[in-house]
Amino acid sequence: MSEVETIKAYPFLLNGEWQNTTSERTIEIESPSGAETPGAVQAMTESEVNAAISGANEAQKNWARKSFDERAQVLHSWADQLLLMKDEIAEAIMKEAGKGLSSAEKEVVRTADFIKYTAEEGKRLHGELINGGSFNAGSANKFALVNRNPIGVVLAISPFNYPVNLSAAKIAPALIGGNAVVFKPATQGAISGTLMIEALDKAGLPSGLVNLVTGKGAEIGDHLITHPLIDLINFTGGSQTGKSISQKASMVPLILELGGKDPAIVLEDADLDKAAADIASGGFSYSGQRCTAIKRVLVQDEKADELVAKIKEKMNGLKVGAPEDSADVTPLINSKAADYVTGLIDDAVEKGAEVASGNQREGNLIYPTLLDSVTKDMQIAWEEPFGPVIPVIRVESVDEAINIANESEYGLQASIFTKNMEQAIQIGNELEVGSVQINGKTERGPDHFPFLGVKSSGVGGQGIRKSIESMTREKVTVLNMTQG
Ligand SMILES: O=C[C@H](O)COP(=O)(O)O
């Protein structure tokens, strides 16, 4: 038997059947650590993709007629199945995304919680009745019944960094809202994605309601996003890909969760221990491969030396190494990503940044790196590394911090560290971001909070309730009473 034949190739779920592609082509998943491949997935053909979309379109009609309670039962059962498969799924996340094992396990548990909350939140969804007579020229005999209806087939495209959680964060709200889903996981994330769909299948998923599409985005991506039976696209990934989707997809509602350059703004009265701890964990956990990672520090000059010293101290507590050892900082997803981060560090150092800590590399593993005295002419001041490097930019005033924060093309989240709540709220109001964290690191959760980005960070809103609302649409039925 040749080496290729021993690699496990995972099938895809198409209209209730687990299948291999007729193309006979598979894609071997890379290991970020350079270990042996965790397996392969099918490179589906365009006609298989078409069958996935039209099957979902068919299945949706029946699902839309189900009560919220019936849909919720499937979701609850899915969450239970995921927990039963926790070890297997966490191992897949660890191997293909390079995530520390304990974080991978937490991702599965967080996902089960997410799905259960979504099931219950769906049951609480309700419409409203509007009396026409409340408008000056309206009639008291006219009423609008406003209900929320499914949109149809949702195309869910998820990223490598949370291959289970960010997939379920699209699929579960879409399903409770009465939609069908065509799910395209990131290639490095497709095994975890396949296993979570196996759990959903075991939970009693109606045939075709969620179809799994695997393959290279470069080969089938455009076909998926321009298919006429796709009614909504929900994508998480890089801003460039998000922009390209928004240009190609015509007249289809979009939810895009994209990149970020979240600043931690540290004022002179801040609790520096707390700020340093949050910056170290917010910037370096999972090697900074999170859209919400802290990606720059804007600190008032007077406190910069002290803050940098404290961040360095906190960095000593980070575990650097193998995903199997549940390290915080593990090898980046691939060598291209690691080269990009190295390039940003080199550019900053060449232009005069000081390496306060780190700047060491072994394969795709980049040690947590803190760059001090970063200036606006350096790429790292503006670009999103998606890796374990934090630039510290020293500022003279609060206004300068706000200006630099807003000069970014991104607008996901921002942290403000200060004891002055009133000033924090004022600064928060000035920041062009979706969420402001006062005295806390930037992060998406808890998952029922609204989550959105502005500018290049995204379009539309998510967070459990918001996601259900974003993937349903209002339907207005007007009652014209003949008897007043
Ligand atoms: O990568 C983007 C994720 O939505 C970030 O989620 P997180 O803040 O829970 O790590």
Side-chain angles (χ1 to χ4, degrees):
M1 204 183 249
S2 77
E3 198 187 323
V4 174
E5 284 165 327
T6 62
I7 293 170
K8 176 166 181 181
Y10 289 79
F12 54 85
L13 180 66
L14 175 62
N15 299 330
E17 302 285 335
W18 288 95
Q19 308 182 11
N20 289 338
T21 175
T22 53
S23 76
E24 297 184 356
R25 286 174 53 231
T26 57
I27 303 163
E28 221 174 274
I29 308 298
E30 259 182 67
S31 152
S33 322
E36 68 181 39
T37 173
V41 294
Q42 311 288 321
M44 287 170 67
T45 62
E46 269 190 16
S47 83
E48 286 159 348
V49 171
N50 291 342
I53 298 172
S54 53
N57 174 268
E58 266 310 305
Q60 191 266 335
K61 296 178 178 68
N62 198 29
W63 183 248
R65 289 186 208 108
K66 301 264 187 221
S67 68
F68 282 104
D69 190 57
E70 286 170 299
R71 295 178 202 157
Q73 281 174 27
V74 174
L75 292 189
H76 277 297
S77 171
W78 183 20
D80 294 340
Q81 291 295 333
L82 273 179
L83 292 176
L84 289 173
M85 292 175 70
K86 185 180 99 178
D87 292 347
E88 186 184 357
I89 297 177
E91 192 181 322
I93 298 173
M94 177 190 79
K95 285 186 171 166
E96 63 182 341
K99 187 173 283 188
L101 184 58
S102 69
S103 299
E105 286 166 352
K106 282 187 200 141
E107 178 172 342
V108 180
V109 174
R110 176 181 178 180
T111 304
D113 288 346
F114 185 106
I115 295 169
K116 284 187 175 286
Y117 193 105
T118 304
E120 293 307 305
E121 190 69 1
K123 291 187 200 168
R124 291 191 277 268
L125 205 65
H126 56 76
E128 60 177 344
L129 183 145
I130 307 172
N131 186 320
S134 50
F135 188 76
N136 187 25
S139 159
N141 293 335
K142 203 184 260 289
F143 297 92
L145 300 174
V146 185
N147 203 0
R148 292 208 81 86
N149 279 7
I151 288 189
V153 178
V154 169
L155 171 60
I157 309 178
S158 58
F160 77 83
N161 64 343
Y162 282 91
V164 171
N165 184 265
L166 282 174
S167 305
K170 301 174 190 321
I171 298 169
L175 290 181
I176 199 74
N179 302 288
V181 177
V182 172
F183 168 42
K184 162 72 178 79
T187 298
Q188 251 173 296
I191 296 177
S192 320
T194 301
L195 293 175
M196 69 184 280
I197 296 303
E198 192 184 316
L200 178 54
D201 191 31
K202 286 181 188 162
L205 175 76
S207 166
L209 190 64
V210 175
N211 279 330
L212 173 65
V213 168
T214 54
K216 288 270 180 212
E219 285 176 22
I220 53 170
D222 284 359
H223 187 69
L224 274 166
I225 61 174
T226 55
H227 195 288
L229 290 180
I230 292 295
D231 300 304
L232 182 145
I233 300 173
N234 188 334
F235 167 81
T236 298
S239 293
Q240 268 189 345
T241 312
K243 283 177 190 171
S244 155
I245 290 175
S246 72
Q247 280 158 4
K248 290 173 184 164
S250 153
M251 296 294 284
V252 172
L254 298 176
I255 303 167
L256 305 175
E257 184 200 337
L258 309 174
K261 187 72 181 167
D262 295 358
I265 299 175
V266 184
L267 304 190
E268 54 190 353
D269 69 341
D271 174 343
L272 294 185
D273 286 305
K274 163 82 175 141
D278 278 4
I279 289 166
S281 76
F284 295 121
S285 59
Y286 187 37
S287 318
Q289 295 176 113
R290 299 166 46 239
C291 57
T292 47
I294 287 182
K295 298 192 178 116
R296 50 194 169 139
V297 173
L298 303 171
V299 56
Q300 286 195 286
D301 233 344
E302 299 79 355
K303 294 290 174 182
D305 288 342
E306 206 182 330
L307 180 70
V308 167
K310 285 182 188 289
I311 299 173
K312 277 175 67 175
E313 197 184 299
K314 303 289 177 194
M315 286 167 71
N316 293 333
L318 294 167
K319 192 167 176 182
V320 182
E324 288 79 0
D325 298 332
S326 291
D328 306 296
V329 179
T330 51
L332 293 185
I333 191 72
N334 54 37
S335 57
K336 190 173 161 211
D339 290 348
Y340 178 63
V341 174
T342 307
L344 291 178
I345 297 172
D346 290 348
D347 171 76
V349 172
E350 265 165 40
K351 290 175 180 159
E354 291 164 30
V355 178
S357 186
N359 196 16
Q360 230 186 301
R361 176 174 172 179
E362 288 159 18
N364 294 342
L365 177 67
I366 295 187
Y367 280 67
T369 300
L370 186 67
L371 297 176
D372 194 3
S373 303
V374 166
T375 49
K376 288 170 62 176
D377 58 324
M378 301 173 189
Q379 290 172 45
I380 191 70
W382 308 110
E383 291 183 29
E384 181 186 33
F386 229 65
V389 52
I390 303 180
V392 176
I393 302 174
R394 295 167 177 240
V395 295
E396 280 172 14
S397 66
V398 171
D399 282 345
E400 190 186 356
I402 296 171
N403 288 339
I404 294 177
N406 286 343
E407 243 180 89
S408 168
E409 67 163 296
Y410 297 104
L412 191 55
Q413 296 203 349
S415 289
I416 303 167
F417 291 93
T418 174
K419 294 194 182 81
N420 185 337
M421 273 304 140
E422 206 177 314
Q423 190 179 20
I425 288 169
Q426 278 167 357
I427 296 171
N429 286 340
E430 301 278 320
L431 294 175
E432 297 162 1
V433 292
S435 311
V436 174
Q437 303 269 358
I438 298 175
N439 293 323
K441 62 189 167 194
T442 47
E443 62 186 353
R444 173 167 48 114
D447 292 335
H448 62 306
F449 285 3
F451 180 57
L452 69 156
V454 302
K455 303 198 284 189
S456 290
S457 289
V459 170
Q462 299 194 83
I464 292 175
R465 186 170 185 86
K466 271 270 159 264
S467 293
I468 301 172
E469 287 172 356
S470 299
M471 290 189 279
T472 49
R473 65 160 62 96
E474 287 178 322
K475 178 73 172 276
V476 185
T477 304
V478 180
L479 288 182
N480 291 284
M481 313 290 279
T482 49
Q483 290 165 2

